[in-house]
Amino acid sequence: MTKNYLEIPEELYNKLSDYAENDQLSIRLENQQILLENPKINHTNKQNLALHYFIVPSLASGIIALLIFLSTNHPQIAFTGSRHLSVASLSIILSTLFGFFGFIWTYLRKSCDLSKSKFKIFRETLTLSVAYTSISFAVQIIFWYIIGKTFSGVTFDPFTAGFLVLVFVGIIFYFLISAALSITLPNLILLLFTTFIGGILVSTATNNQKDWWQHNFSFLGTGEATQHWQFNITLIFSALILLTITDFLFAEFSKSSLYNYKFKIIRVFYILIALLIAFVGIFPAQSWTMPIHNNSAFGLVAVVLIMIIFLKWLVPTISKEFLALSWTALIALTLSAVAFMGIHYLSLTVFEIIAFAIAFTWLVMFINSLRGIIQEGNEWQVKLLQK
């Protein structure tokens, strides 16, 4: 009888033995990838957990909504609107509350690395739960705004309205639980972009101060701007997400043979950058906080410039393409600084936007480059044999 073999390097064999159960591994094809796993792992585990976890909160939200609707003594409940409690308002409130605590419970139960310190676990869990819940809240606001325009004046009896709340809460809760079970580095990078860009756009859209851009970009975070808390909270939470990304990235990197003191220096740089971003939000550009705000903003750009200048020394294996891109970013930052401070061609607002956009984009792209180096270090050549 013909036997088939898979010849693998010894280093890979040693790594796989850590995952094997009685020297057995299961193999499956998924999304054009071959996955080797412990045979005791339930392949539908994540989906089943998400289904199991969302049923109870959904039922509870439906019962709560029904009791509230019945207590109003109104025969008909509005689909949307604020004249009375509506399906829309209760769906948003209950899904946000249940989703927030459900995300925390699920993430702590299934996605946390117990080797991390309790402080890191607490920071990551709170940051991610608030970020994902805020995104779901924003999506619901947009969704119900469209529904309100489309189905204006639609009402339901309390039982139907309660059932609809159950359905909408269940959908949002399932999304949040699935997200908590699937935290990966690419997802965190997308979360960082969504939080930062979305928060900044909301801050500019909700600021009623006419011609705010004639002051500076940081004006959005001062007390003179309406809804200034949105701008500052966006920066603070972006910093916390960046810290979480740093933890995920270097926790994976530390298991690689490529990890050395230079990567520890890069980690310190990222932690420092996250702190500086947070300081820009914590200390607005006004009164006694102005020096701290300005020094934090300029310090952020300075750290990025230092990283670019010493990039080839810090990461000798970095690709030539990314190295060229990095020097292009450095030249662009330098030229924008000269155009602002030297010849006064750029306004302060434009300079801040350009400098922060370049620095922020480069930082995220550098994370992806480091992640690519990790993946290259975890690749082995195998051979199929038949005897």
Side-chain angles (χ1 to χ4, degrees), residues 189-227:
I189 293 174
L190 178 61
L191 177 65
L192 177 61
F193 262 108
T194 304
T195 301
F196 181 77
I197 296 176
I200 295 299
L201 289 176
V202 170
S203 298
T204 56
T206 57
N207 179 58
N208 295 323
Q209 177 70 34
K210 186 179 180 181
D211 298 335
W212 61 266
W213 47 269
Q214 293 184 0
H215 299 271
N216 52 57
F217 193 64
S218 299
F219 178 83
L220 292 172
T222 64
E224 298 179 42
T226 57
Q227 307 296 334

Side-chain angles (χ1 to χ4, degrees), residues 28-42:
R28 63 190 175 97
L29 299 177
E30 182 178 301
N31 297 326
Q32 298 183 340
Q33 293 180 330
I34 299 175
L35 303 178
L36 285 169
E37 295 178 332
N38 186 309
K40 286 190 175 181
I41 293 178
N42 184 357

